Amino acid sequence: MPIAKGRCSPVNSLFSDPLPISWLPGETLFSLCSRQHRLAGHRRPAATCQQLFGHPTMGAAHDFPSRLDAFVARTHGQLGNSDEIISWRTILPFYLSFSSREVGDRARTLMRGTSIGSLKFRLGILTSRFRAHHPLKACPRCMADDVHEHGVPLWHLEHQLPGSWACMRHNVAVSATSLKTSGALRFHWLLPDNASDLRLHVEGDRNLANLLVIAQASRDLWRLGQRDLGLEPDRVVATYRQALRARGFVSGRGYGHLHHRHVGVEYAQYVAPLRTIPEFAALPRTPDQAAAEVARLIGARRTGIHPLRHVVFIAWCFGCVDALLRAYEDTSAHIAERLTAIPTGQTVDHRAPQRAAVLDLLSMGYSATAAARSIGVDPSTAMAWAAALGLRSSRRPSRMTEPNRSAMVCALRGGAEKSEAAAMGGVSVESVTRLLRTEVGLRADWTQARHERRQHSARHRWMTALKENPRLGTKGARLLEPAAYAWLYRNDRDWLDQQVPPRCPQRQPSSSRVDWERRDLELAHAVREAALQIATSRPDTRISLAALCSLIPDLRAKAAKLERLPRTEKVLDEVLTRRRR
């Protein structure tokens, strides 16, 4: 059916069965929508966006598009459902390989909804020191092949992944454009042949071998996130440490000791050539920084690390993700063999063998004291390990009588401070800490109660600040209650976003006395001088209002008041008309 240019046709009449477009091999959602924009002949990008997503701008993002449920509804599901499009046609799975299932579910929900909101912040992109945008990239040889096979170049998904600066199909570097990320064409639909600034960022072939390894690792991590096969942080750390131990960078028993100087020198040498590419500029620059990054990657229970840091480390230490996965499976089997009694998700550390032995003795009927002394740990530590599994241990006689202990437990379950509970029972704060560790479920209840108390207090203080100072708005209230705002921003963001202070009627500014006569004379003179300068320096160029405004910054603001600037209006008319003639 023919489509009128610049107009949005009704959904049902355009997207009939079959659809006018279908997926091409390996292309992104943004690439398909850009092809539809060209096929429909729309002059305005908003027309295509409205047609596909039901909104003039939402959905035009090339990395994390939103309104995917609307897209599926408007295409009648013939291009797949929302989860399939997210998994196969966007870069989101790359960020889910080291994330929890909850983070992935929340990210998919935001992309299916009306706006991605704070998705980049939730994924840790904004706080990672890497650039928060993802430049569009294309391989020159892939573009030629696409034109030959399909008649149009595509944006291939494997090229758009973070860290992917080489084409694994042709073994060449890819080119990048910043037209979407710079804001110049933020809501436009582009194909590689529309990107006027598409250029190479990799100089020579010196880094090509490493870039191919990193690109392969990026694609493999994307596939892991695509299949929702997130890696457990504890086992990843153990796998990293074992690989470093095999290379001589870790020595000693247990977790061992990391040789910072040696690992820093080698890792810094590996990443130095990569830092010439803008996306890798946040990688460590000196051996000390490199050693600190490796130490952070192998630290216990590390989260919030940008996946690109993992990608570069994997490429340096393992060579490929397959080698990492093989080592990961070996480590997982070894850990499962030693920690059969440890619940899933508990932190793995160098005391794991002792913990397993203590729990075995407790299951055989030993007391916590006897089991702890047999293994060589503190009895309170053994009781804490047992409490983590929900096992109650017999207690030795102490100054903490049963009535006092019950009262302290009740107070702690209500969120009382440790010092308050200690004063109530007449014991030390250390005794209260021991009680929290050894009483089954008490620490979780205490943490939840304290969270609720802090939430109630912060909400009350914030609402009081808004009600008592309605004219200050959100920014003013932040100055009055900075602590409450900071706590709510970190822990209760959804509620905080809903608390919009009422708008107060704005006072009309008093009319100031402006010497319009003098302003008119000065501005008219400035316009004549600017026009003369343009005509002298560029005699073949037509004098435009934009050129005048670039030389006279105040002219654009004053253009709305030309009825009060008759001389300026006359000079503008003469200058622009004369040059046109």
Side-chain angles (χ1 to χ4, degrees), residues 399-434:
R399 294 174 51 192
M400 189 185 301
T401 62
E402 186 59 31
N404 286 347
R405 182 176 173 279
S406 300
M408 292 168 60
V409 169
C410 183
L412 290 172
R413 290 192 190 278
E417 297 291 340
K418 289 184 181 181
S419 56
E420 298 175 8
M424 179 184 300
V427 296
S428 65
V429 175
E430 289 76 11
S431 299
V432 177
T433 302
R434 189 180 305 112

Side-chain angles (χ1 to χ4, degrees), residues 243-553:
L244 291 173
R245 185 189 299 276
R247 298 183 60 174
F249 294 125
V250 172
S251 62
R253 302 179 60 183
Y255 259 27
H257 172 71
L258 177 67
H259 300 296
H260 287 256
R261 188 170 67 86
H262 299 298
V263 73
V265 170
E266 284 209 20
Y267 194 52
Q269 290 176 351
Y270 180 81
V271 302
L274 302 176
R275 297 186 71 258
T276 59
I277 301 174
E279 187 176 33
F280 292 120
L283 291 174
R285 180 172 52 88
T286 64
D288 289 341
Q289 294 175 355
E293 176 148 319
V294 173
R296 184 166 182 257
L297 285 168
I298 64 174
R301 199 70 180 177
R302 287 296 185 181
T303 58
I305 299 177
H306 196 286
L308 197 54
R309 299 190 187 277
H310 286 283
V311 166
V312 177
F313 179 83
I314 291 169
W316 169 70
C317 191
F318 295 89
C320 64
V321 174
D322 287 341
L324 166 70
L325 294 179
R326 289 193 296 269
Y328 178 83
E329 292 300 328
D330 294 342
T331 304
S332 300
H334 185 55
I335 291 176
E337 191 176 299
R338 289 166 48 199
L339 303 177
T340 54
I342 302 296
T344 303
Q346 189 165 334
T347 302
V348 178
D349 56 21
H350 63 283
R351 308 188 71 179
Q354 294 176 319
R355 185 195 316 243
V358 166
L359 294 175
D360 287 340
L361 292 176
L362 289 175
S363 64
M364 294 168 59
Y366 281 70
S367 66
T369 302
R373 287 177 178 173
S374 299
I375 304 302
V377 297
D378 189 82
S380 61
T381 302
M383 296 175 69
W385 288 343
L389 287 176
L391 302 176
R392 295 186 179 275
S393 306
S394 58
R395 300 180 179 275
R396 296 173 296 177
S398 66
R399 294 174 51 192
M400 189 185 301
T401 62
E402 186 59 31
N404 286 347
R405 182 176 173 279
S406 300
M408 292 168 60
V409 169
C410 183
L412 290 172
R413 290 192 190 278
E417 297 291 340
K418 289 184 181 181
S419 56
E420 298 175 8
M424 179 184 300
V427 296
S428 65
V429 175
E430 289 76 11
S431 299
V432 177
T433 302
R434 189 180 305 112
L435 178 62
L436 284 170
R437 296 180 62 201
T438 56
E439 180 69 21
V440 177
L442 180 57
R443 176 175 288 276
D445 294 342
W446 180 65
T447 303
Q448 179 64 26
R450 282 168 56 82
H451 176 83
E452 293 176 355
R453 288 180 63 177
R454 291 175 178 175
Q455 182 185 57
H456 180 269
S457 175
R459 286 184 175 185
H460 176 72
R461 285 183 289 149
W462 182 249
M463 293 303 298
T464 301
L466 292 180
K467 290 179 180 179
E468 294 181 353
N469 305 275
R471 295 183 179 276
L472 294 181
T474 301
K475 291 185 178 180
R478 285 177 59 182
L479 298 176
L480 296 177
E481 292 290 348
Y485 179 85
W487 193 93
L488 292 170
Y489 186 88
R490 297 188 183 101
N491 303 281
D492 202 2
R493 181 71 178 276
D494 294 337
W495 180 88
L496 180 63
D497 292 340
Q498 297 174 1
Q499 311 309 312
V500 180
R503 293 183 175 273
C504 298
Q506 300 293 326
R507 295 180 56 187
Q508 295 296 331
S510 57
S511 57
S512 58
R513 295 183 179 181
V514 178
D515 189 349
W516 289 100
E517 181 73 16
R518 179 178 178 183
R519 177 175 292 183
D520 192 17
L521 289 171
E522 293 177 351
L523 195 57
H525 178 73
V527 170
R528 289 185 184 277
E529 293 292 331
L532 180 61
Q533 180 180 345
I534 296 174
T536 303
S537 59
R538 293 171 288 175
D540 296 333
T541 303
R542 181 177 69 85
I543 299 178
S544 64
L545 182 60
L548 293 174
C549 290
S550 65
L551 296 177
I552 311 172

Side-chain angles (χ1 to χ4, degrees), residues 29 63-69 82-87 90-125 134 225-226 228 307 494:
L29 173 64
D63 48 5
F64 300 113
S66 59
R67 299 184 66 88
L68 294 186
D69 282 350
S82 299
D83 289 336
E84 291 172 345
I85 294 174
I86 291 173
S87 297
T90 73
I91 66 172
L92 176 65
F94 174 83
Y95 289 95
L96 304 182
S97 301
F98 297 94
S99 300
S100 63
R101 186 180 296 272
E102 292 75 14
V103 172
D105 293 342
R106 178 59 176 166
R108 293 185 181 93
T109 301
L110 290 173
M111 292 179 65
R112 286 162 43 194
T114 57
S115 172
I116 64 170
S118 58
L119 176 59
K120 290 189 177 182
F121 175 79
R122 292 175 182 270
L123 294 177
I125 300 175
H134 304 88
Q226 181 189 58
D228 208 9
D494 294 337

Side-chain angles (χ1 to χ4, degrees), residues 30 60 62 131 133-137 155 175-199 201:
F30 179 77
H62 64 288
R131 306 180 73 178
H133 70 286
H134 304 88
L136 286 167
K137 292 170 285 187
W155 298 115
S175 302
T177 175
S178 60
L179 290 178
K180 284 283 289 184
T181 55
S182 65
L185 302 177
R186 179 182 176 186
F187 300 111
H188 284 235
W189 301 105
L190 301 173
L191 289 171
D193 54 358
N194 296 133
S196 57
D197 67 335
L198 196 66
R199 65 183 183 88
H201 290 263

